[in-house]
Amino acid sequence: MAKDQEQHTQDRDHQERGARLGRGTLIIIGGHEDKERGREILKEVARHVDGGRLVIATVASHKPEGYFESYQQGFDGLNVGELTELYIDERPEASHPEKLALFDGARGVFFSGGDQLRITSQIGDTPLEARIREVYERGGVVAGTSAGASVMCETMLVKGPSRESYRIGDLQMAPGLGLVRGVIIDQHFAERGRMGRLLGAVAQNPRVLGIGIDEDTAIVLQGGHFRVIGSGAVYVADGAGITHSNIAEARTDEPLSLYDVRLHVLSAGDAFDLNRRAPLPARDLDSGAAQ
């Protein structure tokens, strides 16, 4: 009996510190997804849209010209109904009726790349953000690539050095849209050597899982777990078992010291349970064993 109670407590704790998700699907892409050949990631987005309207949000770009046209070509022939573009030049536009009407009957939203701070500063806590959440909560898909991937989190990575040891104080983070909580996401991961800055983010808050996503690679999040698709890898850094960190004591120009971080490397077909913080065999995912 005591053992069952202990397991119940552990499961409850996992749930409390794990990801909180809506009823829909998040497709979080590491950038540079293939738009010409196999188009595996775009096909996954189209599968969830299932012939409905997809809103292409180019909000992250200071100069959005060409982004929408590239996705028109990329989604051509993939069973996406109407494609519409959402761009916000100034924050008050996020309350305009014609912008909000773009989401009437929409089955999905796709955030393109650029600057994630443009997304949060232009649409955060606006009626337009509420419409995006409505799409997600009623079972639609919200996808994002590059900056559009980072912004999915409650706290997002904004700036930090790549291809060098992480120096304490180098990292800049800001509030994201919070569509998934309990994780922090970085993109263009292997291509830009971002392991150091992801570990720096996890060191600052070991409660969160750090997820790094390679280019032309995505995680598909549903119901507390994700599966990996695409040509690269996904890296999950778990700091729950950290036994030493100098993040609070060292000077800001010193390199990070961190012991006993757990690292998982996943490729296409692999899956991960965010609540239990553990890889999930694909057969369990297919059989519906994940909760």
Side-chain angles (χ1 to χ4, degrees):
M1 185 74 175
K3 189 173 182 179
D4 290 343
Q5 185 175 6
E6 180 182 357
Q7 183 62 50
H8 174 76
T9 301
Q10 289 176 351
D11 290 344
R12 183 194 61 201
D13 291 343
H14 283 310
Q15 293 288 339
E16 287 177 350
R17 71 180 182 180
R20 282 171 280 176
L21 300 163
R23 296 179 181 176
T25 302
L26 299 179
I27 300 179
I28 306 177
I29 310 161
H32 289 206
E33 65 281 1
D34 172 32
K35 301 184 186 70
E36 298 177 356
R37 298 178 296 278
R39 300 186 291 175
E40 180 181 359
I41 294 171
L42 296 189
K43 286 178 180 177
E44 181 72 17
V45 175
R47 186 174 71 83
H48 289 277
V49 173
D50 192 24
R53 177 188 296 173
L54 177 63
V55 179
I56 305 294
T58 58
V59 185
S61 178
H62 294 276
K63 296 180 179 180
E65 294 80 6
Y67 278 86
F68 181 63
E69 291 75 14
S70 72
Y71 282 105
Q72 282 182 311
Q73 296 174 13
F75 282 108
D76 185 43
L78 296 186
N79 192 32
V80 173
E82 182 184 4
L83 277 180
T84 59
E85 182 179 14
L86 168 71
Y87 186 73
I88 301 294
D89 190 42
E90 297 290 346
R91 182 175 169 84
E93 295 175 33
S95 299
H96 288 182
E98 64 271 22
K99 300 289 185 181
L100 301 177
L102 293 176
F103 296 90
D104 292 345
R107 295 288 301 274
V109 183
F110 190 111
F111 284 99
S112 63
D115 180 353
Q116 50 264 51
L117 279 176
R118 273 213 95 248
I119 300 175
T120 54
S121 64
Q122 298 303 314
I123 73 169
D125 197 26
T126 66
L128 196 147
E129 183 193 5
R131 293 305 307 269
I132 293 169
R133 291 183 182 279
E134 287 173 9
V135 171
Y136 182 41
E137 290 296 337
R138 67 172 180 254
V141 60
V142 179
T145 184
S146 190
S150 292
V151 80
M152 299 281 191
C153 309
E154 189 173 32
T155 300
M156 64 182 182
L157 277 166
V158 177
K159 288 183 180 179
S162 299
R163 302 191 187 281
E164 59 186 66
S165 297
Y166 173 72
R167 304 278 168 174
I168 296 169
D170 279 348
L171 203 62
Q172 294 183 34
M173 293 188 281
L177 295 181
L179 293 174
V180 56
R181 303 180 182 182
V183 304
I184 192 160
I185 293 169
D186 208 353
Q187 17 75 19
H188 301 286
F189 197 72
E191 292 78 8
R192 299 186 185 179
R194 289 180 164 175
M195 180 63 76
R197 75 181 202 173
L198 186 68
L199 291 175
V202 171
Q204 289 190 28
N205 184 6
R207 176 180 288 272
V208 304
L209 287 167
I211 302 177
I213 308 175
D214 287 348
E215 293 177 359
D216 191 37
T217 308
I219 60 174
V220 182
L221 268 73
Q222 292 175 303
H225 58 268
F226 69 75
R227 57 188 173 88
V228 179
I229 62 173
S231 62
V234 171
Y235 310 78
V236 182
D238 185 352
I242 289 173
T243 58
H244 164 78
S245 170
N246 68 342
I247 194 78
E249 289 81 20
R251 296 192 305 271
T252 56
D253 60 346
E254 289 186 8
L256 176 68
S257 175
L258 203 60
Y259 300 173
D260 296 311
V261 180
R262 193 176 188 189
L263 180 67
H264 306 279
V265 183
L266 312 173
S267 61
D270 292 334
F272 195 89
D273 188 319
L274 291 171
N275 293 321
R276 292 185 172 87
R277 302 167 80 100
L280 181 68
R283 63 179 180 274
D284 291 351
L285 190 63
D286 292 340
S287 68
Q291 298 296 323

